[in-house]
Amino acid sequence: MKTRPVARNRRQLRKGAAQSKTRRRPRSGRARSIGSRTWLVRASLVAVITISTMGLLGTGGTIGIVDYFAGDLPSIDQLQSSKLLQTTRIVDRNGNLIAAVYHENRTVVPLSKMSRNLQAATIDTEDRTFYSNSGVDYRRLLIAVVYDLTHRTSTLGGSTITQQVVKNDVLDTTEAQSRTVSRKFRELVLAEEMERRYTKQQILELYLNTINYGNGAWGAEAASETYFGVHASDLSWAQATFLAGLPQAPSVYDPFGTADQLQAVKQRWRQVLDGVVAVGDLSATEADALYRSDLIEKMIAAHKAAPPSPNPLTAHFVDYVKQYALQRYGPTALYEGGLTITTTLDLGTQALADKWVKAGVRRYRSRAVNTGAMLVMNPNDGEILAMVGSADYANDAIRGQVNLTGVDPLGWRGVGSSFKVYTYGAALEAGLVTPSTLLNDANSVIGGHTFSDWDAKHEGWIPLRTALAQSRNLPALWTYSAEGGARVADFMHRLGVTAALENVGGVSTTLGHDPLSMAEHLAAYSAFDNGGYRVSPHSVLKVTDPAGHVLESFDPNGERVQVISPDLAYLMTDLLRGPVKLYLGSLGNRPVAGKSGTTEAYTGSIFIGYTPNLAVAASLMHIDAGPTCKSGYARLATNFPPSGWQCPTSVLFGEDVGIGVWKPFLDAYYASHPWPAKWKAPFGIVSHQVCKYDGGLVGTGGYNEIFLKGVGEPGYKCGANPYPGETPYLAPIPPPLPSPSPSPSH
């Protein structure tokens, strides 16, 4: 790549020479003598190389020399694929760019997809004889030699585009940077040989794909996107001439840099425009109009308005995808392979999720909430549509880069009463209880331990449906005790939650103090939504290489495994509609199911649930960077030492998350998406009329409830299964039949 500015006229040459003499005045005659001899030798050697090359390459006797120097010249395919580092692009499901991952930001495109304006401006600036020279412009080189000799400096460039390709892409870095005679000779020979092997179009394409345009942009496509947000095929004359001047000194010509760099890039653009006018590709009037345009001002404004890198909106998700790609393809493929990773993310849904997590943090800030998370999935196949790992990715004070959606174990949290679905689901599946079974909300002592509920009240014996809707603790504790923790753990693991429970035998496990992955927790809930299939959180739809070959493609049915019956899935969904109707207002009239969860001392609050086509989990909490809790509510922690990770807030229930985050997100999402149809009951669901006394079957005077056919139906009549201490059942006396009225007389 050429790095020396081109003087525009003889007056400037003379002025530059005088300045050069002034700057380089030696401090002694000896120094002047040595410097003169050095430049003379260098100039003479370059002249010899030039003359020799001109003579040798025109004769048949040079075959051996050419073979020696050009025998290892790579093929054009090798130059374009093996040698070129390319940018991996991570895009959302609709093709919108989320992130670019690279060691060199480059996207290789064919010459046909590069603006002709850019091609012309580049040739006019870098190598006006490109289409007529043989890879070396000897006239231009000789002028450069004379200039270097007379001015004792290497400031006038003589390299053609082909020579720059040889130097940048054929010679190794050490050789390319050396200033030896052999290196220069090899460069000239290889340039001539490259012209014999490749077309001018191939050489220009390679040059425009490899050259450094500054600001991390390598190649025309990356430069077009970096500076103007367009593809290289769409560059205007103004944009093309601007880009054409940057490769000469990309660190100097930086429109986003200092005031001096901005002034330098403006002067360079003027030089390029003058050069384009000189060869007749633009008129002077057209060039002046381009230079007076607001191109640079708009570019700088767009640069300032661009989101930081990484973009905090999608940073957690990008980290997750990068980790997946690193494990599957390795760092070379990820950072240099030019992959296109099409993800499951939907940027519109992501923006909504981020908006409502931040809104929830603001809403409950007075209760010491400082961060939160949300995960949105397709419940039918596990595709992640949105992932908000914290309220602020860049905020170290809240450990913002830790992903609280739990795709990394560092972000696992307790899930509170939302764990109870595993307790009740396992018991229903085994036929140990039914939705109408009366559960114990009267006795607080279980296994010698005393428990209490959030309101310190007791409701006596209540149906399972009511216990789940109101999230009563004692009924869940007694159910867990009766069925055994092993059954619950097996049920949970079948649904896809991998966490090991700390104390399976301890009944308090049902209260959800064990840290779980939010992502796995939501995927497990999705099995209730989708008819009983286990799904896994998934982030990638397709991966392709630069040639368009598909390396992997997501099969939505590939990981679906039936782990519970469709009947149990429907029954759990019907039960989970209760909390929504109780706490979330208008959503109770929609096909929506969900459950709240609140951990001890309000260290984390969650609401998790779904519609027929969307599964959503949201949480709010307080996290501090250091080991000490600074929320101001550490006194609420009684059974554990508070820390930055486990930091109590003021009273904050999972229902608060449902009201302040989960419901507003769902309302906003379905404001622009049609509501899906309600779930349909499978054939294994039956309905019976049962009584409130003990949940037994009754002919009249009870209420309708649904059950699992043959497994979880009441096997007794009303009054046959009273809870301890209940008064004997008295069947209601049917009202007397009306007396028959006399027949009318005729």
Side-chain angles (χ1 to χ4, degrees), residues 426-461:
L428 287 164
E429 182 181 52
L432 301 176
V433 294
T434 74
S436 66
T437 298
L438 299 187
L439 301 179
N440 188 348
D441 193 34
N443 299 331
S444 301
V445 180
I446 306 174
H449 298 280
T450 301
F451 297 91
S452 62
D453 219 314
W454 59 272
D455 58 358
K457 296 179 180 179
H458 300 282
E459 294 189 4
W461 291 76

Side-chain angles (χ1 to χ4, degrees), residues 384-407:
I384 297 173
L385 303 176
M387 174 185 284
V388 180
S390 73
D392 186 352
Y393 181 87
N395 188 347
D396 291 334
I398 62 169
R399 309 193 195 203
Q401 294 184 26
V402 174
N403 192 333
L404 298 173
T405 65
V407 292

Side-chain angles (χ1 to χ4, degrees), residues 107-128:
T107 300
V108 173
V109 295
L111 194 64
S112 60
K113 291 188 176 181
M114 296 184 194
S115 163
R116 291 188 176 275
N117 298 334
L118 179 64
Q119 296 179 44
T122 300
I123 291 171
D124 293 349
T125 303
E126 295 289 337
D127 186 2
R128 295 180 186 177

Side-chain angles (χ1 to χ4, degrees), residues 428 433-437 465 567-577 681-682 684-690 703-709 712-714:
L428 287 164
V433 294
T434 74
S436 66
T437 298
R465 182 179 289 277
D567 311 326
L568 178 59
Y570 180 85
L571 179 59
M572 290 300 300
T573 292
D574 193 68
L575 290 170
L576 287 169
R577 295 192 68 192
I685 292 292
V686 295
S687 176
H688 294 293
Q689 190 167 123
V690 295
Y703 66 94
N704 288 323
E705 182 58 272
I706 61 173
F707 304 93
L708 298 175
K709 184 177 182 180
E713 298 177 83

Side-chain angles (χ1 to χ4, degrees), residues 317-395:
F317 183 75
V318 169
D319 287 347
Y320 180 48
V321 171
K322 285 167 62 177
Q323 187 61 34
Y324 169 86
L326 281 170
Q327 292 175 352
R328 190 170 181 88
Y329 300 103
T332 300
L334 176 62
Y335 291 100
E336 301 176 3
L339 305 177
T340 297
I341 302 177
T342 303
T343 68
T344 58
L345 196 78
D346 179 82
L347 276 178
T349 305
Q350 177 72 16
L352 274 183
D354 185 71
K355 171 185 176 180
W356 287 109
V357 168
K358 287 180 167 61
V361 171
R362 290 194 300 269
R363 179 171 182 164
Y364 298 114
R365 183 169 288 141
S366 62
R367 304 191 201 181
V369 170
N370 68 357
T371 190
M374 181 181 285
L375 190 69
V376 184
M377 284 173 40
N378 181 337
N380 297 302
D381 57 18
E383 294 179 25
I384 297 173
L385 303 176
M387 174 185 284
V388 180
S390 73
D392 186 352
Y393 181 87
N395 188 347

Side-chain angles (χ1 to χ4, degrees), residues 32 50 126 152 164 361 423 483 507 555 572 585 590 598 619 630 693:
R32 184 186 299 110
T50 304
E126 295 289 337
R152 301 180 182 180
Q164 293 182 59
V361 171
T423 298
E483 66 183 314
V507 296
D555 178 5
M572 290 300 300
R590 296 289 189 178
T598 309
S619 66
K630 300 176 183 177
Y693 177 81

Side-chain angles (χ1 to χ4, degrees), residues 538-608:
H538 200 79
S539 61
V540 174
L541 290 175
K542 185 172 63 174
V543 178
T544 56
D545 67 13
H549 301 132
V550 178
L551 304 182
E552 69 169 276
S553 182
F554 177 55
D555 178 5
N557 298 314
E559 298 181 5
R560 281 168 58 95
V561 179
Q562 186 95 42
V563 290
I564 59 174
S565 70
D567 311 326
L568 178 59
Y570 180 85
L571 179 59
M572 290 300 300
T573 292
D574 193 68
L575 290 170
L576 287 169
R577 295 192 68 192
V580 175
K581 293 177 181 178
L582 191 60
Y583 297 110
L584 300 187
S586 60
L587 286 185
N589 301 320
R590 296 289 189 178
V592 180
K595 182 71 184 73
S596 62
T598 309
T599 57
E600 182 182 353
Y602 311 106
T603 57
S605 302
I606 186 173
F607 200 94
I608 180 170

